[in-house]
């Protein structure tokens, strides 16, 4: 490593800790620091930079939490293996090798539908059915004592006679900022956080803000296949035009996005795991996306819906963490981390005064839709560690259920299993939409509900074929039985298909 | 009274109780039954119609609750005086005489801003200021024990891993239907009720549904002056065109509405008290409005924001109660009845399958934004009578504060006080917008916040001038002090004005 690891700019108005973390992260992402490189001791780096040692310790801790550094007792802190080298894609992903992932399918991750905006109709489900449509986490491990205590505490406050603050309660905004730092490696100030009634409210709010910014009908690029409810919320509540952009195994194709002229005013992306196909956007592509946004003056709306559940490979930095030009907005929710029953989410706004003014204008007319008492209880659940403990417990359950999915569904001929690197659901590819429909219908008769991939198409009739199944919610015993029926239905559909030759 | 009072149609699929109530109400509104007319005894009417006596008792009770009937121990039940005879307006309103209201000002009612969609900026308020801007009820009388118990009960339920039902929890929908029957005299089924995150969510939802129904850009008529936040929510979230319709002392001018060609797809009205000027739409005009809607195929969106607080005169039936053609949508909230801190409201949909399908499509993509646990707690507060008790206690407080307003502000030369027949705020008319601005600015320096009427204009620069002040929230002692300062500022502004002659 040549030159200084990082420099501290006293004229920079960002806090010292932020400069430290961002400088080191940038060093890793830029290739200045490589996998396995040892970092200086906290004492020597602190001395070199003229800062308190505790600041360096905190920065190393945070980067370890984000998966960038490996801290071992009695050994130097080292740079952790990254999923994709920032230089480009010719090398095989380091993480896949490191993690020894056996699946032969392309490595994709699938969204466990971020915010309860369910894709399939709710009608016709009976109690005996096993619902494997994406969108439901498990609440079985939720610590009920903490849950009740949080609401009891919140209900003890005097009842105000006013609306909640437009951007949410200061305490909850601070707790969300802290949660994002720990769970997601996103450094933001409480002032950047806006409390929302889940992801759809966040998207509707951004759509209205875009109308103000654009002064007319905004055009927003969306992933194809992608999140159909989000697309419709944009179109209906914001009255936007949406423009589909194809997705490859890594996520959105930035080259295709660049080809849209005139450039859209914003793009809605799911870089953590493309929803539904599950690609994880490499860091280089993230930077390209941000460069495009800066050059074209567009906003990047990053739907970070289930980044807390990453099974293979370290997390990659949120676009908000890489953004230098005030164009990346982070959209998140507690639907996966706790339950969509709560209807609680957030936005993290970049340093972009025009955007903030537009969002403030919209919220001033509508006020924050989240009950004040729900904000108080959520802040309590974050502060007392209940959320952190729940994530840890749920992760273990999900890892086990994910294994059940692989055991049951991997290796079926012409039905590749994918999307299992992160999130709470998987994709089973099928040779045709007709085959996928047959599987969905057959399983419904068997009492197992899954979603066809065709529902995610932004261009009707086009896009990959297969089924999407969420595995987080049902208990193991019911899940295993349902998966056996899925395997049977998939195998049968593939077997009875016209041969590949006849299809041509 | 000639002919049968009412008939029961066994082929009608509406429940017997509904037929009884609607038949009697229609008899009163049509003039068949007049003020003071005695009704048959419950026993004889039951025998005549061949129904259970308890059904007739329940119908009489409900109509008494709605203000149509007067029930006295040991005397026959009689038709109560109505505010305006249904035949037209030539006669002076009976109710004003009955109630002996002394105010010389035109009888208008003013909205205590239905849903916390505050008109004025929140910034710049300090703790010492008395906030008389409309929008805040009082929570001082809220029974804290019931409040806490409701949340404790709700938090004891197992935590579901799914979103709340799109239209809200069945239990809350049933409790709201029951509340509306008692508190508002609106007869609806739980299936007609949709839970919302307050009025702005309801309006945004209707705006999106209108987009689906119209298949393009809907045009929505709004009152001028009117609720500015609602207008902006319609325009932004629904991307509608709004068309202002002037308001007279009774409310919206239906003749002006009829003159808009082509007819708008919907009209947003506040017939209980026009917001902000406070007219109460006479029954005859309500029926004209509904006739217009039926003839033109438009929807009538009735924002019924504070109908629970009626100080002078009986309540008039909601448009939803008079509607026969499936065109009237009732929009309500618990912001005034409890607190806007809760962000809880509702829609009541008419029998209109196309509208219901459109609303269902929007909610299916967005899901219900109200936390499941908040719905459970609200249902509990309605079921255990806490809401009913709170309304009764708050009514007494508000009546007293209203009297303080009249005592302090009535009779100022060239500054007529109005809007006090219902709701939680008043209007002080002023000779010019400049005078109103001077009063608002002067009071802000004195630490009293009020809203200028100009903020409600749907046609910038046009419309009546004055100030709007909410009186529900501050305790009596602070309110009295603030009102004294308001009187001073108003009197001074009028005194130092150029004379009326010079203005011409």
């Amino acid at each position: 490593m040549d030159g200084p690891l990082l420099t501290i700019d006293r004229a920079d108005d960002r806090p010292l800790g932020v400069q430290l973390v961002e400088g080191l992260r940038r060093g890793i992402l830029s290739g200045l620091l490589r996998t396995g490189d040892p970092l200086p001791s906290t004492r020597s780096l602190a001395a070199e930079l003229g800062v308190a040692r505790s600041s360096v310790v905190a920065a190393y801790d945070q980067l370890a939490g984000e998966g960038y550094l490996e801290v071992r007792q009695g050994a130097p802190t080292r740079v952790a293996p990254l999923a994709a080298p920032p230089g480009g894609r010719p090398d095989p992903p380091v993480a896949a090798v490191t993690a020894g992932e056996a699946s032969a399918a392309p490595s994709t991750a699938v969204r466990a539908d971020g915010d309860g905006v369910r894709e399939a109709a709710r009608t016709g489900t009976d109690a005996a059915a096993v619902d494997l449509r994406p969108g439901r986490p498990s609440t079985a491990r939720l610590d009920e004592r903490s849950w009740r205590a949080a609401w009891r505490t919140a209900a003890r406050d005097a009842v105000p006679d006013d609306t909640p603050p437009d951007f949410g309660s200061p305490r909850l905004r601070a707790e969300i900022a802290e949660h994002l730092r720990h769970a997601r490696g996103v450094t933001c100030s409480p002032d950047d956080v806006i409390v929302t009634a889940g992801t759809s409210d966040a998207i509707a709010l951004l759509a209205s803000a875009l109308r103000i910014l654009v002064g007319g009908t905004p055009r927003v690029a969306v992933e194809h296949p992608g999140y159909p409810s989000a697309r419709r919320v944009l179109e209906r509540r914001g009255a936007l035009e949406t423009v589909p952009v194809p997705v490859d195994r890594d996520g959105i194709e930035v080259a295709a996005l660049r080809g849209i002229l005139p450039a859209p005013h914003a793009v809605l992306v799911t870089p953590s795991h493309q929803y539904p196909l599950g690609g994880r956007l490499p860091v280089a592509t993230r930077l390209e996306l941000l460069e495009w946004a800066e050059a074209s003056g567009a906003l990047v709306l990053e739907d970070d819906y289930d980044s807390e559940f990453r099974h293979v490979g370290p997390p990659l930095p949120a676009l908000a963490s890489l953004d230098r030009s005030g164009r990346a907005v982070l959209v998140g929710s507690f639907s996966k981390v706790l339950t969509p029953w709560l209807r609680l989410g957030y936005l993290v706004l970049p340093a972009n005064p025009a955007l903030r003014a537009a969002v403030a204008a919209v919220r001033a007319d509508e006020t924050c839709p989240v009950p004040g008492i729900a904000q108080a209880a959520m802040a309590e659940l974050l502060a007392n560690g209940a959320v952190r403990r729940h994530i840890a417990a749920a992760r273990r359950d999900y890892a086990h259920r994910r294994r059940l999915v692989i055991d049951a569904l991997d290796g079926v001929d012409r039905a590749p299993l994918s999307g299992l690197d992160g999130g709470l659901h998987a994709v089973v590819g099928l040779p045709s939409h007709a085959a996928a429909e047959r599987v969905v219908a057959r399983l419904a008769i068997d009492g197992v509900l899954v979603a066809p991939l065709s529902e995610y198409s932004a261009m009707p009739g086009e896009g990959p074929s297969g089924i999407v199944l969420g595995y987080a919610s049902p208990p193991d015993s019911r899940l295993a039985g349902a998966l056996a029926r899925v395997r049977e239905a998939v195998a049968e559909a593939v077997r009875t298909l016209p041969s590949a030759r006849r299809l041509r």
Side-chain angles (χ1 to χ4, degrees), chain A:
Chain A
M1 200 172 62
D2 302 326
L5 177 62
L6 80 170
T7 54
I8 294 295
D9 181 358
R10 302 280 169 190
D12 191 329
D13 56 1
R14 290 174 305 153
L16 180 69
V18 173
Q19 289 192 51
L20 276 170
V21 167
E22 294 197 347
L24 287 167
R25 195 194 279 125
R26 205 148 265 274
I28 295 166
L29 295 172
S30 69
L32 184 69
L33 287 163
R34 286 162 197 280
T35 298
D37 277 353
L39 264 70
S41 72
T42 52
R43 189 183 305 273
S44 67
L45 184 58
E48 188 187 321
L49 297 172
V51 302
R53 189 180 162 208
S54 61
S55 301
V56 180
V57 170
Y60 279 21
D61 273 358
Q62 178 174 337
L63 289 165
E66 293 179 22
Y68 287 95
L69 299 181
E70 285 178 341
V71 181
R72 289 235 174 75
Q73 199 74 34
T77 296
R78 289 177 186 278
V79 177
L82 269 185
R89 297 188 218 156
D91 298 330
V94 179
V97 176
T98 309
E101 175 59 8
S103 166
S107 169
T108 51
V110 177
R111 170 169 206 169
D113 176 355
D115 204 51
V117 185
R118 310 296 301 281
E119 310 310 341
R122 277 152 201 280
T123 49
T125 70
D126 62 74
V130 184
D131 192 346
L132 298 186
R133 291 171 302 181
R136 290 167 68 173
S138 168
T139 53
R141 296 277 191 161
L142 188 61
D143 172 12
E144 288 182 9
R145 215 185 306 184
S146 305
W147 172 264
R148 284 178 210 162
W151 290 97
R152 207 163 45 233
T153 303
R156 264 201 296 266
D157 295 342
V159 184
D161 59 11
D162 204 353
T163 54
D166 290 348
F167 282 4
S169 88
R171 184 173 175 224
L172 179 55
R173 296 168 75 191
E175 289 293 345
I176 291 174
E178 181 62 18
H179 167 77
L180 284 171
R181 197 179 71 76
H182 267 104
R184 190 60 186 90
V186 169
T187 310
C188 62
S189 131
D191 292 341
D192 304 329
V193 175
I194 293 175
V195 176
T196 71
T199 298
S200 49
D201 173 50
I203 289 176
L205 171 59
L206 290 168
S208 293
L210 274 168
R211 288 188 66 81
I212 295 178
L213 289 172
V214 169
T217 302
R219 294 164 70 239
V220 176
V222 295
E223 296 170 337
H224 163 68
Y227 191 16
S229 295
R231 194 169 63 238
R232 288 191 291 258
V233 170
L234 281 170
E235 289 170 357
R236 275 189 202 138
R237 285 238 171 172
L240 308 174
E241 283 172 34
T242 58
V243 189
V245 180
V247 155
D248 64 19
R249 54 166 285 187
D250 285 331
I252 195 163
E253 292 182 13
V254 176
L257 184 61
R258 270 202 214 96
I260 302 172
L261 293 175
H265 300 97
V267 59
L268 177 65
V269 287
T270 52
S272 288
H273 329 121
Q274 199 278 328
Y275 182 61
L277 294 185
R280 175 162 63 154
L281 212 62
V283 171
T285 317
R286 289 171 194 237
L287 296 171
E288 278 173 30
L289 182 59
L290 290 169
E291 272 163 31
W292 167 83
E294 188 168 2
S296 62
L299 291 176
V300 181
L301 316 181
E302 175 178 23
D303 183 358
D304 201 42
Y305 64 100
D306 66 358
S307 56
E308 291 84 359
F309 302 109
R310 185 85 218 151
H311 311 298
V312 177
L316 289 184
L319 292 169
S321 300
L322 303 172
D323 176 34
R324 284 271 160 262
S325 64
R327 313 222 68 86
V329 181
L330 187 78
V331 179
S333 94
F334 292 107
S335 287
K336 286 295 146 13
V337 157
L338 279 177
T339 166
W341 193 244
L342 260 187
R343 315 306 302 127
L344 235 156
Y346 48 86
L347 286 179
V348 181
L349 293 185
N352 182 326
L355 174 63
R356 287 185 186 221
V359 167
V362 176
R363 264 322 197 224
D365 283 328
E366 303 183 5
T367 77
C368 176
V370 182
I373 186 170
Q375 299 190 45
M378 185 73 224
E380 193 65 27
L381 289 165
L382 287 165
N384 70 19
V387 174
R388 208 161 46 238
R389 288 193 303 276
H390 178 63
I391 293 176
R395 258 190 198 135
R396 288 191 294 274
D397 283 358
Y398 296 154
H400 182 64
R401 285 176 199 166
R402 173 176 173 275
R403 175 49 57 191
L404 293 180
V405 173
I406 294 171
D407 289 349
L409 301 180
D410 201 19
V412 180
D413 186 38
R414 290 205 281 162
L417 177 66
S418 67
L420 282 152
D421 284 2
L424 307 177
H425 59 184
V427 169
V428 178
L430 284 165
S432 69
H433 289 304
E437 271 165 38
R438 215 169 320 143
V439 170
V440 171
R442 155 74 198 278
L443 284 171
I445 294 167
D446 286 357
V448 178
L449 305 174
V450 301
L453 252 185
S454 57
E455 283 185 4
Y456 299 82
S457 173
M459 305 170 74
E462 291 183 38
S465 49
I467 58 170
V468 185
L469 41 97
Y471 56 80
S473 173
D476 290 0
S477 55
R478 303 194 72 202
L479 178 63
L483 290 170
R485 278 174 281 172
V486 172
R487 183 181 180 110
E488 239 173 73
V490 165
E492 190 192 306
V494 170
R495 209 168 37 234
T496 58
L497 261 190
S499 77
R501 204 148 44 84
R502 273 181 55 202
L503 278 174
R504 277 183 203 127

